[in-house]
Amino acid sequence: MAIATTNPTTGEVLKTYEPLPDDALEEKIARAAAAFRSYRLTSVEDRVGWLRAAADVLDADTDAVAELMTTEMGKTLASAKAEVAKCATALRYYADHGPAMLEPQQLDADAVGARQAYVTYQPLGVVLAVMPWNFPLWQAMRFAAPALMAGNVGLLKHASNVPQTALYMEELFRRAGFPADVFQTLLIGSATIERVLRDDRVVAATLTGSAPAGQSVAAIAGDALKPTVLELGGSDPFIVMPSADLAAAAAVAVTSRNQNNGQSCIAAKRFFVHADVAEEFTRLFAEKIGELTVGDPMDPDTQVGPLATESGLQDVVEYVEDAVGKGATAVVGGHRVDRPGWFYEPTLLTGVTSEMAVHAEEVFGPVAALYTVQSLDEAIEIANSHPYGLGSNLWSEDEAERAQFVRDIEAGMAFVNGMTTSYPQLPFGGVKQSGYGRELTELGMREFMNAKTVWVG
Ligand code: NDP
């Protein structure tokens, strides 16, 4: 993919970039390695100060950065502003809580015949972050804030369609006063990742994106014996039981499926509705989907903008054609929007069956697949038959159903009477083909730390 800003609202190519030549890439890796040698020795207090300064820079830049993201990948301006604010929250969260997370953990010295025994958490070094375009600031920040708090150094290979947001990330940390080169953006294509990952000066990698990209990075990192965190796709179930507040569930279902123009890994994508309430829920859900305003994402009234790429739009067109061709019904939507740019109508498919691609794959666009089920057992069984296991949602007022759902759903996150959302204060990640490892909280920070055991006699 060319490294370029292409406005999905118009299809117009606004700016293109040459990939970094070999010698410039080498220089950036060398600078990152040199930066780590001194950055690891900086005080926790200094890092806290730089994180807070970065949050302040983001606050001041909100309008400009939000416009940049909307221009590069089409999210609504309001959601882009919310994304900037969330990034500032994450920076402040690690400034507030990072020092305690980095405290040594005292162990039972007597039991091991020592005067002192403890675990001390130390940064690993230069970490490569391969990031996607859908939350171009947040996905990268979710890595950067804990990594920089921990004393690691970051190299960001961002998605090729968000180069300006990627360059802004580097600028942000520089302007916040972090030491030079602790966070650099590499404008490279995905074919160059292997060279970076195999470099001895790069010690670990994190990737958010598709399963094939994750497999590729994990295979190279595995061969080179370097740790990875993978946050891959999701096709989150959203289960609605008879005791649920149907109006609330339908409203949240619409938000969850159509947030970010339908392009979120933790969007609810498969809706399992108990037969007793299926008709009523489907009516409410379809009605609210039909009310969504699709249009220019810069317009404050717009709720759903374009898909980020032309190929992404084509994938959605094919998924819906395949499902309808095999007997599904598009209760609402089901077509491209007749206007320039990569717009698709918010869509509700009913009558989805296992023969359809929407059943077993991830639709990265505003298309909800609805199943009618006879029981919670059936909903969980079909939900768990999917290769992904990222987030999950249950709507029920029944204690026993909630307990069963939390116990049995194969997912990294279980949300009851709400939608799966990432918060700096909660661990984030999946199981099965959705990846491994956790981001955010102290779990995310420690993924790229050496938990060094210390015994002092
Ligand atoms: P990709 O996985 O292709 O892109 C994500 C990142 O990985 C980008 O930086 C990309 O670089 C890089 N990448 C692509 N291919 C490889 C590879 N073989 N080895 C290493 N890195 C690679 O996602 P897409 O943008 O193409 O979206 C396709 C699908 O991915 C979506 O339909 C969705 O299912 C999933 N996805 C999931 C996301 C999530 O949040 N979990 C986010 C985005 C996508 P480059 O841009 O240069 O190709």
Side-chain angles (χ1 to χ4, degrees), residues 355-370:
E355 290 77 49
M356 301 169 189
V358 294
H359 174 81
E361 295 172 30
E362 176 184 24
V363 184
F364 227 51
V367 177
L370 190 140

Side-chain angles (χ1 to χ4, degrees), residues 131-134 139 157 159-160 193 210 213 216 232 265 362 364:
M131 290 291 142
W133 45 263
N134 59 341
Q139 306 272 27
K157 182 275 179 270
S160 293
I193 288 173
S210 63
S216 166
L232 309 176
C265 49
E362 176 184 24
F364 227 51

Side-chain angles (χ1 to χ4, degrees), residues 18 38 107 112 121 134 165 203 247 268 304 339 341 367 390 426 447:
E18 285 304 313
S38 49
L107 302 171
V112 293
Y121 293 96
N134 59 341
T165 310
V203 298
V304 181
R339 58 172 287 167
V367 177
L390 193 54
L426 300 181
E447 292 282 357

Side-chain angles (χ1 to χ4, degrees), residues 207-281:
L207 178 139
T208 301
S210 63
Q215 280 167 325
S216 166
V217 162
I220 298 163
D223 189 47
L225 289 179
K226 296 180 184 179
T228 49
V229 167
L230 297 182
E231 202 274 276
L232 309 176
S235 190
D236 290 3
F238 187 105
I239 302 171
V240 182
M241 296 303 289
S243 61
D245 176 340
L246 292 188
V252 172
V254 173
T255 305
S256 179
R257 179 58 286 215
N258 295 285
Q259 60 175 324
N260 213 35
N261 310 338
Q263 305 157 118
S264 169
C265 49
I266 48 169
K269 299 185 178 107
R270 299 174 297 145
F271 297 80
F272 301 97
V273 186
H274 192 280
D276 289 356
V277 291
E279 198 181 320
E280 176 67 357
F281 179 82

